[in-house]
Amino acid sequence: MIPLWMFPLAITTGNTFVMKPSEKTPGATMMIAELVKESGIPDGVFNVIHGGPDTVNFICDHPDIRAISFVGGNGAGEHIYKRGSANGKRVQSNMGAKNHGIVMPDCDRQATINALAGSAFGAGGQRCMALPAVIFVGEAADMIPDVVSKGKGTRVGPGNGENVEMGPVISKESLTKIERLIASAEEQGADILLDAGN
């Protein structure tokens, strides 16, 4: 979804575009590249480059790349901003985005439960559109058990499995981080209402 915010504007205004997907999830970018080619955009206008930190540094350093737009974690974003800016590039670095929600008592109950569950469990909660913090105002808190119930009913399995609603997290490091966050919340007094690990 995020690349669709960037490259259409860039190429429409006469620029070429180099996209570097996460080395962990390049598949969607390659699908986009196929669609771009099918649409008739000339070769060389939309380009894909793969790799890790060395590739990022190449983008930050190459004199023909004049602007960088990044969306992702703080560590990478700060590095890209500093290195790209030091090379005279315009750098837009959107880092560490998370959404927060407020649920009011007069909300559409079922639509809200569905939206909260979709945000929390869609893509395993591993996207910037996830909703890690929700405040339920007044009687709206009465729907928390329904959100938990919806979460418990989520079909978990291989990402390409039939009828699977939530695939695995992207890496062992991500799993460790999630487990650490759950433990930290519990240590700080949170009630853990839904924990797939237990």
Side-chain angles (χ1 to χ4, degrees):
M1 179 173 78
I2 291 169
L4 300 176
W5 303 343
M6 299 177 189
F7 83 85
L9 290 172
I11 63 176
T12 300
T13 56
N15 299 287
T16 58
F17 192 88
V18 177
M19 183 179 300
K20 188 223 138 335
S22 166
E23 59 274 19
K24 296 175 183 172
T25 58
T29 295
M30 296 313 296
M31 289 181 211
I32 290 171
E34 288 178 25
L35 292 171
V36 166
K37 186 164 183 69
E38 285 177 24
S39 74
I41 292 173
D43 290 346
V45 173
F46 179 87
N47 307 277
V48 178
I49 185 170
H50 297 282
D54 290 342
T55 305
V56 170
N57 290 338
F58 171 83
I59 291 169
C60 290
D61 297 344
H62 198 286
D64 289 339
I65 298 174
R66 298 180 55 199
I68 301 170
S69 186
F70 170 81
V71 176
N74 288 11
E78 289 173 11
H79 172 79
I80 290 166
Y81 184 82
K82 288 176 188 170
R83 189 160 180 153
S85 296
N87 284 311
K89 300 177 189 303
R90 290 169 292 164
V91 181
Q92 174 188 35
S93 197
N94 300 292
M95 304 174 284
K98 291 293 177 198
N99 293 310
H100 298 82
I102 299 174
V103 178
M104 301 301 291
D106 62 346
C107 69
D108 180 320
R109 185 179 182 92
Q110 196 56 51
T112 301
I113 292 167
N114 291 340
L116 292 173
S119 175
F121 308 119
Q126 304 173 99
R127 56 185 176 188
C128 61
M129 299 304 290
L131 200 61
V134 180
I135 297 170
F136 292 86
V137 177
E139 295 172 5
D142 294 344
M143 71 178 69
I144 292 173
D146 295 326
V147 175
V148 172
S149 177
K150 184 131 179 115
K152 286 181 179 176
T154 301
R155 291 183 299 273
V156 178
N160 60 354
E162 190 172 331
N163 299 319
V164 170
E165 296 173 306
M166 185 169 82
V169 293
I170 195 164
S171 67
K172 189 169 185 130
E173 293 81 17
S174 290
L175 177 60
T176 300
K177 179 180 179 183
I178 291 165
E179 290 170 339
R180 191 174 63 245
L181 288 169
I182 292 169
S184 172
E186 196 165 27
E187 287 168 12
Q188 295 176 48
D191 294 324
I192 308 300
L193 303 178
L194 176 59
D195 177 1
N198 295 318

